[in-house]
Structures are given as structure tokens and as C-alpha cells.
Amino acid sequence: MSTEKGIYVFCAITEKEKKSFGQAEFNGRKSGVYTIHLDTIAMVVCKVEGEVLPGRQNLLTHQNVISEVMKQYSLIPMSFGNVFHSEKDVLLITKHLKKDFTELFSHLENKIEVGLKVIPKKEWIDDEMKKDPVLLEWKNTSQDLEAPSAFYDRIQMGERAQLFILQLQEQVEKEIYLPLLGLTAAGKQNDTIPGKVFLNAAFLIDRNSEAEFDERVNEIYEVWKDKVDFKYTGPWPAYNFVNIRLRIEGSS
């Protein structure tokens, strides 16, 4: 949807009055950030020139504008790179998605997203492996990889190792993810890296419950800190809980 000159869309908010949010810099050019309105739905936009590519500065601009708007509004974030030919096209897509926006606003009012990654410590995995004598023996035994039997042994050990890691991940889900999920409006588990990241979760929480949620994260970390590291981030816009595609009917 990128054009030579166009209107870049950052997010949607609920607002009747025209608002401005400073300036945004894309492709080395600064432009005012303002709202385009359809009834109570306002799209936060700016004018751009040239193709908006996902370079470091452009990505940072997108993130910074949304963070600024978040200080004042509950919002529906748009993914990077949504550029339309004109304000008329922005209004057209807003009208087309009005029902979806209205429904999402009711779910996202006063909500924020936080993220939690759980990264296992090598010492914990090694200690758990000692409880499986077969895996431990395989790890400690020098194998003749040229021997035909070694090929099948490696397959069997690979399957056993996968099951071993899966069981540890299930423990993390049961004792970390599920207790936190009970304090949220919604949760989502994203893809993990086997053996490297055991949990990659996003949580949608009420702003008024943020302190309570933070405290619970800290309590769980105290129990698990010898086994894993936590990477706790946010607050973010609710990217993981929004699936809006800005597309004008009939366009590619």
C-alpha cells in the first residue's frame, strides 16, 4: 500500500475532537501527527513521502508515536507500514472496519499488554537431566558415530530429549503461565525456541491491575530464580490481541 505520497496510519482511538501528537519523522522528513475522524473513531496519522521501509529510524518512529498516544488513550495499534493514497481512503477503510473497531475498543478499554519470556538456566536443565539415567548415560558416554547402531540410537535419544524438554516446558506453563493468566483479561503463548526459551507469553491486563500483576510476577520469579531467568517487558499496545488488516476492498 506504500505510495509516493500518502497518509501513514499508526493506530485508532476513540475521540470526537481533532487531536495532534507532535511530529513523526519518516525517511528523514518530519510531519505533524494528527487525527482523521469517523464519528467517535479517530485514526492517528501523518503525511509521508516516498516508500516507508522498515529501517531502524522508521520503526522507532512508529513505536514512539504509538507510545505517546498510549499515554492518553486506549488504542488499537496498527502494524508497521500502513500507507494510503489519501485521507479519503483512510476514512473508507475506517468505515469498512467500523464494527470491528467498535468491538475491539470495548475489549481493549483501559487495557495494556505485557510480555514475559522464561529462559531456562543450563544448570537447571543439567540437574533435571540427572534424573533421567538413560539421557545422562548417553550424554556422558563417548559414541562411535560411524557405527550403524549409533544412527538409530541418536534418533531414539533425540526423541527422548524432545520429550524431556517438553515436560519441562509443561511445568513452566503450569506453574508460571497459568497462575498469571488468572489475573488477566487474556493471554497468548507465542512460539518458543526449544531448549532456549520455555515460555514466550503476552498478557492483556487492566491498567488498574498492573501493580498487582507485577507483584505476582515477582513472587513467582522468587520461586523460580535458581532455575530460570525472566524477561518481563511492557507496557505495550495490545499487538498480540489485535488482528486488524487495513485493506481497501478491491485493492491488492
Side-chain angles (χ1 to χ4, degrees):
M1 282 188 287
S2 294
T3 57
E4 188 64 26
K5 291 185 178 182
I7 306 296
Y8 187 98
V9 179
F10 295 97
C11 59
I13 60 176
T14 300
E15 176 58 71
K16 290 183 178 180
E17 305 296 327
K18 288 187 177 296
K19 298 290 180 179
S20 60
F21 299 95
Q23 291 189 316
E25 182 178 339
F26 284 118
N27 301 332
R29 293 186 175 91
K30 292 184 179 180
S31 179
V33 180
Y34 62 100
T35 51
I36 299 174
H37 295 257
L38 179 71
D39 300 327
T40 60
I41 298 175
M43 304 297 279
V44 179
V45 306
C46 75
K47 295 178 180 179
V48 292
E49 292 186 25
E51 188 176 7
V52 181
L53 298 174
R56 182 180 180 278
Q57 181 57 52
N58 286 347
L59 288 167
L60 191 60
T61 293
H62 178 90
Q63 178 182 325
N64 286 344
V65 169
I66 290 180
S67 295
E68 186 64 30
V69 178
M70 266 187 72
K71 295 176 182 178
Q72 303 176 51
Y73 294 91
S74 298
L75 59 81
I76 298 173
M78 303 301 157
S79 58
F80 175 86
N82 285 288
V83 182
F84 290 85
H85 289 284
S86 65
E87 291 185 1
K88 182 179 178 181
D89 284 343
V90 175
L91 286 172
L92 181 63
I93 194 66
T94 307
K95 183 177 180 180
H96 177 68
L97 294 171
K98 184 178 180 180
K99 182 179 179 182
D100 297 302
F101 281 140
T102 301
E103 196 171 303
L104 272 172
F105 277 127
S106 69
H107 291 304
L108 298 180
E109 181 63 30
N110 207 41
K111 302 290 194 309
I112 55 173
E113 178 180 315
V114 294
L116 177 64
K117 289 185 179 180
V118 175
I119 302 165
K121 294 183 177 180
K122 182 179 183 300
E123 296 80 7
W124 177 49
I125 293 180
D126 287 345
D127 287 343
E128 292 299 310
M129 186 175 288
K130 292 175 183 176
K131 299 175 184 178
D132 187 322
V134 177
L135 279 178
L136 183 62
E137 182 181 0
W138 173 264
K139 179 184 177 183
N140 295 333
T141 302
S142 176
Q143 300 292 324
D144 180 5
L145 299 182
E146 299 299 323
S149 60
F151 174 76
Y152 297 103
D153 286 344
R154 289 172 68 187
I155 292 176
Q156 290 179 332
M157 287 303 103
E159 293 174 347
R160 194 179 186 100
Q162 285 181 335
L163 179 59
F164 165 75
I165 293 297
L166 181 60
Q167 288 171 338
L168 295 183
Q169 285 186 283
E170 288 175 347
Q171 184 182 353
V172 166
E173 178 181 3
K174 181 180 178 181
E175 298 182 24
I176 298 178
Y177 176 73
L178 292 180
L180 290 173
L181 183 63
L183 300 176
T184 70
K188 181 180 179 182
Q189 293 194 61
N190 295 309
D191 291 341
T192 59
I193 304 174
K196 301 291 185 181
V197 178
F198 277 5
L199 180 69
N200 180 16
F203 299 97
L204 187 67
I205 62 175
D206 192 287
R207 287 181 184 271
N208 298 327
S209 302
E210 185 177 2
E212 179 187 2
F213 189 84
D214 289 350
E215 183 179 353
R216 187 67 177 124
V217 170
N218 289 332
E219 289 173 354
I220 294 175
Y221 175 71
E222 284 301 311
V223 175
W224 279 79
K225 63 183 180 182
D226 294 331
K227 301 176 181 179
V228 301
D229 289 317
F230 277 15
K231 186 176 181 182
Y232 183 46
T233 60
W236 305 108
Y239 283 112
N240 278 280
F241 303 94
V242 171
N243 186 23
I244 287 286
R245 184 182 180 191
L246 298 185
R247 180 176 178 273
I248 297 176
E249 289 300 306
S251 68
S252 56

